[in-house]
Amino acid sequence: MIRLGVNIDHVATVRQARRTNEPDPVWAAVLAELGGADGITIHLREDRRHIQQRDLRLLRETVAVLLNLELACEEEVLRIACQVRPDQATLVPERREEITTEGGLDVAGQQDRVRRAVEQLREAGIKVSLFLDPEEAQIEAAARLGVQAVELHTGGYANARGQQQQQELQKLVLAAESVRRLGLALHAGHGLTYRNVHPVAAIPGMEELNIGHSIVSRAIMVGMTQAVREMKEQMLLAVQHRGPG
Ligand code: PXP
């Protein structure tokens, strides 16, 4: 079987565009669960550009499926994670100026920093996954740290076209074999869409896909007709009740 972790960060992005209280990612999580989500994924970024601590706190109380928190190896957010205790933590690299997470975590290059973060999370009883580029050296370094899972970065595959996309897919297939050979759970995500998800979901042993932007984008589109209809109804009702003027 395969799990779908729905990343709801961009519901919060729309809210933060107005610093108001809608749309609420807590509502979105409930609706995602009703739609069959096996997990809810959020990224508490250092700059708090979308998900806020309030969201994490409420989602910890309300999400009935697996709650997966993406976070950087930074002291403040690690402390928050250990207090709130999501079911799973996925360590990701984070740079302030990036639009979204751009590359995998460089575990091989910063073993000590990542090791400390992994130990802290594991001591708090949280399952740890590392977000990695599909490279052998990174996967082996992850296995040495004793994490339970690796999430393969599918951005390279998602952004490539034609023959190059096939090559990127092949990298994912080989990396997936290594992840499984080393006894780690196999996850993947980033840039997956309704058009490109199929070959990734078909990789043997794939246990979890984390998908956000494409689902939130489609939710806006499939909900647009209904949302406009409901606003129009409100306006027409008001017109019917207009006083003489
Ligand atoms: N997995 C990880 C580790 C991520 O950082 C993200 C983006 O926040 C995703 C999955 C989801 O990516 P997308 O929004 O492109 O589906």
Side-chain angles (χ1 to χ4, degrees):
M1 278 306 285
I2 189 165
R3 292 191 298 275
L4 169 60
V6 178
N7 181 315
I8 54 172
D9 288 349
H10 293 312
V11 175
T13 302
V14 176
R15 178 191 60 192
Q16 295 311 108
R18 286 291 174 89
R19 301 277 191 279
T20 176
N21 57 5
E22 67 173 6
D24 192 331
V26 177
W27 287 35
V30 172
L31 295 171
E33 277 191 41
L34 281 175
D38 305 293
I40 298 296
T41 294
I42 50 172
H43 185 174
L44 187 66
R45 293 186 71 102
E46 193 191 0
D47 62 11
R48 303 291 195 271
R49 68 171 72 147
H50 37 55
I51 292 294
Q52 308 295 308
Q53 261 178 269
R54 166 265 184 207
D55 303 326
L56 172 61
R57 193 166 29 82
L58 290 178
L59 287 165
R60 173 64 297 183
E61 285 183 27
T62 53
V63 167
V65 291
L66 182 135
L67 180 65
N68 175 36
L69 176 68
E70 295 175 0
L71 73 165
C73 298
E74 300 289 343
E75 201 179 314
E76 190 221 7
V77 80
L78 280 164
R79 185 175 41 74
I80 295 169
C82 292
Q83 276 166 4
V84 177
R85 303 215 301 165
D87 303 297
Q88 178 174 287
T90 302
L91 288 169
V92 299
E94 204 177 284
R95 283 191 298 121
R96 232 170 234 280
E97 63 277 17
E98 69 191 0
I99 294 175
T100 179
T101 314
E102 280 168 4
L105 195 63
D106 181 16
V107 206
Q110 21 173 328
Q111 291 249 8
D112 289 344
R113 189 154 176 260
V114 182
R115 176 180 288 113
R116 278 195 297 277
V118 171
E119 281 170 3
Q120 223 177 313
L121 293 164
R122 291 207 60 172
E123 274 166 28
I126 303 165
K127 176 177 171 184
V128 183
S129 173
L130 301 184
F131 183 53
L132 302 181
D133 288 327
E135 290 169 12
E136 187 69 28
Q138 298 291 349
I139 295 164
E140 284 174 2
R144 284 196 292 275
L145 294 185
V147 296
Q148 288 106 321
V150 162
E151 177 171 333
L152 294 177
H153 193 325
T154 50
Y157 158 79
N159 292 331
R161 292 288 168 268
Q163 194 49 36
Q164 205 200 334
Q165 190 166 45
Q166 287 312 309
Q167 287 165 9
E168 292 293 333
L169 179 62
Q170 202 45 36
K171 279 192 206 166
L172 289 169
V173 170
L174 292 176
E177 278 171 16
S178 303
V179 171
R180 292 175 70 203
R181 180 169 36 80
L182 292 163
L184 305 175
L186 176 62
H187 304 172
H190 210 285
L192 295 176
T193 68
Y194 294 82
R195 291 189 187 84
N196 68 19
V197 71
H198 202 123
V200 178
I203 293 174
M206 187 57 71
E207 284 184 34
E208 177 181 304
L209 296 182
N210 286 298
I211 308 180
H213 187 264
S214 190
I215 294 177
V216 174
S217 304
R218 184 159 294 211
I220 291 173
M221 291 304 160
V222 299
M224 185 60 85
T225 315
Q226 180 74 10
V228 171
R229 198 175 285 135
E230 289 176 16
M231 180 59 83
K232 203 81 188 278
E233 272 167 21
Q234 292 305 315
M235 290 165 54
L236 295 174
L237 266 177
V239 169
Q240 276 169 21
H241 293 103
R242 264 183 197 167

